[in-house]
Amino acid sequence: MRGFVKKIGAVVLAVIISLSVFCVPVNAKNNKKVLKVAFPESAGINEVYEDGSYGGSVYEWLMEISKYTGWEYEFVNGNADELLGEMMQGKYDIMGGMLYQKDLEKYFSYPKYSMGSNYSLLIYPKQDESIKSFDLSTLNGKTIGVYKKAGHKIKRLKIFLDSNKIKCKIKYLDLKDYESCLKNKKADLMLGSDVYMNDDYNVAAKFVADPYYIVTSHDQKEICKEISDAMEEIYAANPNFADELYNKYFPEQYINTISFSKSDLSFIKNAGAIKVAVSEELYPISYKDKEADGIIPDIINLISEKSGLKFTYVTAKTYEDALNLVKDGKADILGGFFDDSYFADKQNLILTKSYINVDGVILKNKNANTGSSKVTQAVLKGGNTNSASKDIVLKYYDSYEECLKSVNSGQTDQTIMPSSVMESLYLKNYYPNVIYTSSEHSLPGLSIALKKGSDSRLYTVLNKTVNNISETEAGNIKKDNMVSIGDNKVSFKSYYYSNPTLVISIIVGFIILVAVIILLFIWFKMKNNVMKVKVEEAEASSKAKSEFLSLMSHEIRTPINAIIGLTNINMMNEDLPEPLKKNLSKIDSSAQFLLSLVNDILDMSKIQNYKMVINSECFDLTKVINDIDELFISKKEEKCIKLTYDIDLQNKYFMGDSVRIKQIISNIVSNAFKFTEEDGEIILTIREIVKDSNSSDVFFSIKDNGIGIKEDKLSKIFEAFEQVSINYNNETGTGLGLFICNHLVKLMGGDLKVKSTEGEGSDFYFTLNLPIASEKDVKKEIAENNITKLENTRVLIAEDNDLNAEIVISLLEMNNINVERALNGEEAVTLFKDSEDNYYDLILMDIKMPEKDGIEATKEIRRINSDYAKNIPIIAMTANTFEEDRKNAFDAGMNAFLSKPFNVDEFYKIISETK
């Protein structure tokens, strides 16, 4: 579709010329193979479409001229004022749609021939019923708004008014008031052109305005001469070239609002439903598909929309029967009459204006001698009984299909029918003995027929409405119904006789295809069996891998939990000697490092299996920063490396996965410590850019002045197991950190990037869009986790590992919490069942235990028919950290999930929140 173009017409363009400030031109180069064309968008003149292509009368003139000159063009779009001013300065070679003015010759060179003439229109609002386009006297006393600088147009308007003896008031307006004079009711009519027309306006009159030209800049005399020579050749070949272009881009006639009289409106209001007779067998002109359909019903529906009349259909088997329904008074109108007014008069009928043209075709029997003295012609019953020639004998049939069959069988020599009807018949059947040619003249167009003596007001309303149907509207209805022909089923017989070779080829091809399909089926079945075995092997391998990782996670995390737990408990003793505290700190650091290795391997597995999940919860970004700072206190002191912060936040609380954000930053900062020498510096930058009241873009950057990364290694740093720089601090690692960080950032909607120069340092940075936490979320987040509220409560622990149980019991008893332990899930269920209601306040449930695991134990407790069993908080406490482990725990009825190993703060936080 063509794009929406600015409504700046040729007339407005010419007026702008007279208003613009004249500037001294700059000479352009002559004899350019590529000419620059100033091309301001203007409907019908310079058009630019959505796909970037061009159109309009100026464009088509230039394309035709290029056939004689060999020129190519560079089209420059833009504002009409600006392009005009630049054209006057000589910045462009050509500009079209320009009116001639004597004082502009110093800026432009005009060719010998114009590109045509435009037309002026007197435009008025549709709602103004006092103006009639067919009665110019209704313009007397009206006010016409004109653009005060459009001198030539105003002069021609006065000539038009004087020659038609019309007395109007002319109101001279500036451009802004002129363009809105009808909308603001400053004038009754507007002197305009096609570019000002829209659905709210009618045309009262149309008259020739001024010729307009394709001009060159003043010094481009040679180009101007070549334009003149080319236009002379164009007009010599086709004197109507300019008129044809005008008619292509501007309408020849205008469809105004229907002028219904008071009597018309009264009739429309009180008429009731008008009965329309149509034939059921004139596809696609009219036919019955549950209800009346086709070209005629679509036209009747359009008439109903335009007039307000209501219609109902009376269907008949044949055209003759439909005609008789009107003659017998059983229908008010015939929806489509095929013949002319002379024959209608003989039938005692009157016709409206034709609403659609019908293309006729002559269909002849290929063996008939139509050049003989007598020719037999098949015609539709109810059609014209008067032959155009005495040498033609007419035979009548009920339908066009019977007419065609009679020609095919040789009963008649020829028939004439609408081309659309012929196409639909050929889709249903094949007529091998029929040849067809275009008719020498079109059939009379379809009209609405009424019986003589019918209500004249009905005829008046119908005829006014039919005259208001535009060629475009009628053409669209015809086109839509012609397209629907293709939707009809084609008979095999018709298709076979039309394409015998193709049909045979299809049958042979079908047989070959079936054979190939059978062979392929056998081959695919064999291959499928092989692939099935491979899939089963892959699934078994994947399952074994998952089970191994799960087992590894559990078996390694269990002793790590003991190491970290006991270390934390001992470090809580304030009486420890300083050397022992340092040793314990080193043990904790080593255990945390071992835990990070396990976590990296598990994270990589989750990423590769698309099981990594990003959580969204309220968190304090400043707390994340503080946690990171505490994490690297010892490293800063140990390596004499400065860790500084550049923080710019407007908000403190956000929604997101703080654990993963902390993991990304700490991993990259840890790398920076590894590859930065003593007295170096690491800068953590966090900047917030508020997008709206709901979210912000938060920029993170970790920059160091360490050894940097070689340029050829940058593309590999985010790959698994890659370590592309020399580690001067001899610190170990898996090579998975940046691989995991990169994927975590992507999962959160960001993109981890790096800039690095060898010997100068590296800068890792990314941006995350984080929702700003609501006040409710913030209050929930900042609420203190008070472990003291659990004093004197009773907790049941189900834990088979003595060391892990000892750690948990110690942490709880330090806070005056009573603890009872079950060695497995079965014992935990028994203790719970044997207890009184509300005896236990909380259950800490290990997952992997002998006899009965934590999942089954939880399910069994939840199935107990009591509010106590259904509501007691149960917290999973396990070394299994896969997402499916969490899901299984929550599905079983657990309230929270605590991963081993855990730190003391995390432990207290979860149990206090859950309780």
Side-chain angles (χ1 to χ4, degrees), residues 674-690:
K674 290 180 185 178
F675 302 109
T676 302
E677 299 179 18
E678 288 188 3
D679 299 322
E681 183 178 15
I682 301 169
I683 303 173
L684 171 58
T685 301
I686 302 178
R687 298 190 183 281
E688 178 186 2
I689 302 171
V690 179

Side-chain angles (χ1 to χ4, degrees), residues 299-300 303 309 311 332-342 344-345 349-356 444-451 454-469:
I299 289 289
I300 295 297
I303 291 173
L309 285 172
F311 296 93
D332 300 308
I333 62 175
L334 179 67
F337 187 81
F338 282 102
D339 292 297
D340 54 24
S341 295
Y342 176 81
D345 185 64
L349 301 171
I350 57 175
L351 302 181
T352 64
K353 176 193 171 185
S354 169
Y355 55 74
I356 202 165
L446 285 174
S447 306
I448 294 175
L450 296 82
K451 184 178 179 181
S454 298
D455 193 327
S456 61
R457 193 55 55 192
L458 172 60
Y459 174 80
T460 300
V461 172
L462 288 174
N463 203 41
K464 285 181 178 179
T465 309
V466 167
N467 276 280
N468 191 256
I469 296 175

Side-chain angles (χ1 to χ4, degrees), residues 718 737-747 750-753:
F718 295 124
L738 289 178
F739 169 81
I740 294 169
C741 289
N742 184 39
H743 281 80
L744 289 176
V745 171
K746 286 181 179 178
L747 286 171
D751 189 11
L752 180 58
K753 298 180 180 179

Side-chain angles (χ1 to χ4, degrees), residues 122-159:
L122 287 178
I123 303 168
Y124 68 96
K126 283 186 175 181
Q127 64 266 28
D128 189 346
E129 297 180 358
S130 66
I131 298 176
K132 311 292 182 186
S133 60
F134 55 85
D135 184 1
L136 293 179
S137 66
T138 58
L139 303 183
N140 281 309
K142 302 294 185 182
T143 300
I144 302 174
V146 300
Y147 181 44
K148 62 185 179 182
K149 297 294 185 180
H152 287 276
K153 283 190 170 293
I154 296 171
K155 182 178 179 181
R156 289 184 179 272
L157 171 64
K158 290 179 178 178
I159 293 172

Side-chain angles (χ1 to χ4, degrees), residues 270-316:
N270 300 307
I274 309 299
K275 295 178 181 178
V276 184
V278 293
S279 170
E280 298 177 2
E281 297 183 348
L282 283 175
Y283 189 93
I285 293 174
S286 66
Y287 59 96
K288 190 171 183 179
D289 181 16
K290 295 183 180 178
E291 57 185 24
D293 206 346
I295 292 174
I296 293 173
D298 286 350
I299 289 289
I300 295 297
N301 290 340
L302 182 61
I303 291 173
S304 178
E305 291 175 11
K306 288 177 174 285
S307 67
L309 285 172
K310 296 180 178 63
F311 296 93
T312 186
Y313 294 96
V314 183
T315 60

Side-chain angles (χ1 to χ4, degrees), residues 504-680:
I504 293 171
S505 300
I506 290 173
I507 292 172
V508 173
F510 178 75
I511 294 171
I512 295 172
L513 179 62
V514 170
V516 170
I517 289 173
I518 292 171
L519 291 173
L520 286 174
F521 175 77
I522 296 170
W523 182 77
F524 275 115
K525 190 173 182 180
M526 293 173 62
K527 186 176 180 180
N528 185 57
N529 289 334
V530 173
M531 291 185 66
K532 186 177 180 181
V533 172
K534 290 184 177 180
V535 168
E536 289 174 354
E537 290 176 351
E539 288 177 348
S541 175
S542 177
K543 184 178 180 182
K545 178 182 175 183
S546 297
E547 289 176 352
F548 168 74
L549 289 172
S550 178
L551 180 62
M552 183 196 75
S553 170
H554 185 274
E555 296 305 318
I556 296 178
R557 282 174 173 271
T558 299
I560 293 176
N561 180 56
I563 295 169
I564 293 176
L566 291 172
T567 302
N568 287 338
I569 290 172
N570 282 292
M571 290 177 71
M572 293 170 70
N573 187 348
E574 297 179 357
D575 298 329
L576 283 176
E578 193 62 32
L580 185 55
K581 280 187 178 181
K582 288 184 178 181
N583 290 336
L584 287 173
S585 178
K586 290 177 182 179
I587 291 172
D588 184 63
S589 177
S590 297
Q592 294 291 349
F593 175 73
L594 181 59
L595 180 62
S596 71
L597 294 181
V598 175
N599 287 339
D600 282 352
I601 294 171
L602 294 177
D603 283 347
M604 184 187 74
S605 176
K606 291 177 184 178
I607 290 168
Q608 291 178 335
N609 290 286
Y610 305 100
K611 294 183 178 180
M612 179 65 76
V613 176
I614 300 299
N615 298 314
S616 180
E617 56 187 12
C618 178
F619 71 95
D620 182 351
L621 186 53
T622 59
K623 184 177 183 300
V624 171
I625 298 168
N626 292 336
D627 290 346
I628 290 169
D629 186 58
E630 290 179 7
L631 187 62
F632 292 101
I633 288 175
S634 61
K635 288 227 177 199
K636 289 191 291 184
E637 296 173 355
E638 179 185 341
K639 298 183 178 179
C640 298
I641 294 174
K642 189 177 180 183
L643 176 59
T644 59
Y645 299 88
D646 182 5
I647 311 298
D648 183 10
L649 296 174
Q650 282 78 50
N651 294 284
K652 183 178 179 182
Y653 295 96
F654 298 92
M655 299 298 295
D657 196 330
S658 61
V659 173
R660 294 301 182 184
I661 292 173
K662 189 189 300 183
Q663 179 182 349
I664 294 165
I665 297 172
S666 60
N667 205 319
I668 299 173
V669 172
S670 178
N671 280 348
F673 273 104
K674 290 180 185 178
F675 302 109
T676 302
E677 299 179 18
E678 288 188 3
D679 299 322

